Amino acid sequence: GSMFSTLDYGQLKAAITAGNADTAKLTVAALCLFIGATGKSAQLPLYTWLPDAMAGPTPVSALIHAATMVTAGIFMITRLNFLFDLTPFVQNIIAIVGAVTALVAASIGLLQNDIKKVLAYSTVSQLGLMFLALGLGAYNVAVFHVITHAFFKACLFLGSGSVIHAMHHEQDMRRMGGLRKIMPITFMTMLIATLAISGIPPFSGFFSKDEILMTAFHANIPLWVIASLASIMTAFYMFRLMYLTFYKDFRGTEEQKHHLHESPGLITFPLIVLAILSIVGG
C-alpha cells in the first residue's frame, strides 16, 4: 500500500508488473503477507488454534475450519500471485513451510483419540500441501485442492458430527466401535470421503493431490518426499479413525449402546450430497 498507494488488486498488479518496484521492499511485503496467511491458514508454527477451535459445534467446524475460513490465506496468496512470482526467496519459504506443516500435522494426527482432533490436524496437513503448491507457483493446483478438500473434509466433519450425535456427545474414538451396522449411511459417506482424502482414484482427492505431488516432483525432490510421506500418513490416520469408529465391537457404556441410532435425514442428507461431490468433484 505505501509503495503504490492503492490496495486494489488490479492496480497493484499493473504497478508491480510494470517492473519499476524495489525488489527488496517487495520481498519484505511478500514475507509479511505470507506470515499473515500462516496464522490464518494454520501453518507452522501458528497452527495450534485450529485443533483447539474444535470445541465449537460440528457444523461450524465443517464450514469454517474445513472449507471457508482457513483457506482465506491461500486465496490471498493466489490473488497476489504476480507479487509472489517476483519474490522467489519468499516462494521457497512458502513451499518449505507448507511441506513441513503437512508432515508435522499428519504425524500429530496419527496419535489423536478425539475424532474431531484427528480431522483438525488433517485439515492443517492438507493446508500445508496447498501452501506447497503455492510456493512452487502452481496456483491453479492449490485452488483445485482447496475445492476438492472442501467437499471431502466437510463430509468427514459432518459425518463425525453424526457419530457424536448418536453417541450422545462422546468424541473419544476409544469408546466407539462397531457403528457401521447401526449407522450405515454415515459409514458409507465417511468411507467415500476417507477414500477421497487418501488420494485413491477415481475419487476427488486423487486428482488434486496427484497434481500437487507431480508439481513437487518436477520442482524439488526433497519436498516431494516430505509431501509423499505426509500423504501416506493421511491414509493411515484416516483409516485408523474409520476402524476405531465403525469396526469391531462397541466399546462405550451400556446406556450409550442403548441410545445408538442412525442420524435423522436433516443430518444424513448433506452427508450424501457431499459424498457424491467427493466422488465426482475431481
Side-chain angles (χ1 to χ4, degrees):
S2 69
M3 273 166 75
F4 304 114
S5 62
T6 174
L7 289 173
D8 180 72
Y9 283 118
Q11 290 167 333
L12 276 176
K13 183 170 183 179
I16 289 174
T17 44
N20 48 15
D22 179 358
T23 316
K25 273 187 181 169
L26 280 186
T27 303
V28 173
L31 189 60
C32 291
L33 284 165
F34 171 57
I35 292 170
T38 302
K40 186 72 171 171
S41 295
Q43 298 300 289
L44 275 168
L46 306 174
Y47 66 95
T48 50
W49 66 266
L50 204 155
D52 293 346
M54 290 299 132
T58 308
V60 176
S61 309
L63 177 66
I64 307 270
H65 301 127
T68 320
M69 190 185 87
V70 286
T71 52
I74 289 156
F75 175 73
M76 179 196 70
I77 292 183
T78 306
R79 282 294 302 264
L80 288 170
N81 61 72
F82 49 85
L83 166 62
F84 288 92
D85 279 340
L86 291 178
T87 53
F89 170 72
V90 180
Q91 279 192 315
N92 285 335
I93 292 176
I94 294 175
I96 292 165
V97 168
V100 172
T101 301
L103 187 64
V104 170
S107 65
I108 300 175
L110 291 173
L111 297 168
Q112 298 295 315
N113 291 313
D114 180 322
I115 188 167
K116 283 178 74 179
K117 281 270 165 48
V118 176
L119 294 172
Y121 283 110
S122 162
T123 301
V124 178
S125 179
Q126 299 305 307
L127 290 165
L129 288 176
M130 295 170 202
F131 272 107
L132 170 62
L134 289 175
L136 299 173
Y139 303 101
N140 52 346
V141 178
V143 174
F144 182 27
H145 196 51
V146 168
I147 294 165
T148 58
H149 172 259
F151 297 149
F152 55 67
K153 186 53 66 63
C155 184
L156 286 165
F157 263 121
L158 290 174
S160 77
S162 174
V163 169
I164 293 164
H165 177 73
M167 296 280 304
H168 279 264
H169 305 283
E170 172 68 71
Q171 297 191 14
D172 192 332
M173 294 187 295
R174 291 171 295 188
R175 301 202 192 109
M176 298 176 187
L179 297 181
R180 74 198 156 112
K181 302 178 194 72
I182 301 144
M183 312 181 70
I185 300 177
T186 303
F187 169 66
M188 274 313 298
T189 50
M190 280 188 78
L191 181 63
I192 289 167
T194 298
L195 291 168
I197 193 175
S198 302
I200 292 170
F203 299 93
S204 64
F206 161 73
F207 295 96
S208 53
K209 268 195 159 173
D210 196 52
E211 287 284 315
I212 291 176
L213 290 171
M214 191 185 75
T215 309
F217 185 74
H218 288 311
N220 190 321
I221 295 287
L223 289 183
W224 171 75
V225 171
I226 294 174
S228 299
L229 275 173
S231 296
I232 293 163
M233 283 185 187
T234 302
F236 190 90
Y237 63 66
M238 284 315 303
F239 281 102
R240 171 178 172 266
L241 179 148
M242 294 299 288
Y243 188 75
L244 285 175
T245 308
F246 293 107
Y247 286 88
K248 288 268 180 104
D249 297 322
F250 185 69
R251 295 184 294 275
T253 63
E254 277 302 312
E255 189 197 358
Q256 282 174 325
K257 189 165 186 173
H258 187 65
H259 286 299
L260 288 176
H261 57 283
E262 176 62 280
S263 300
L266 195 63
I267 294 179
T268 52
F269 179 67
L271 282 175
I272 294 166
V273 173
L274 287 164
I276 292 166
L277 286 168
S278 298
I279 298 173
V280 299

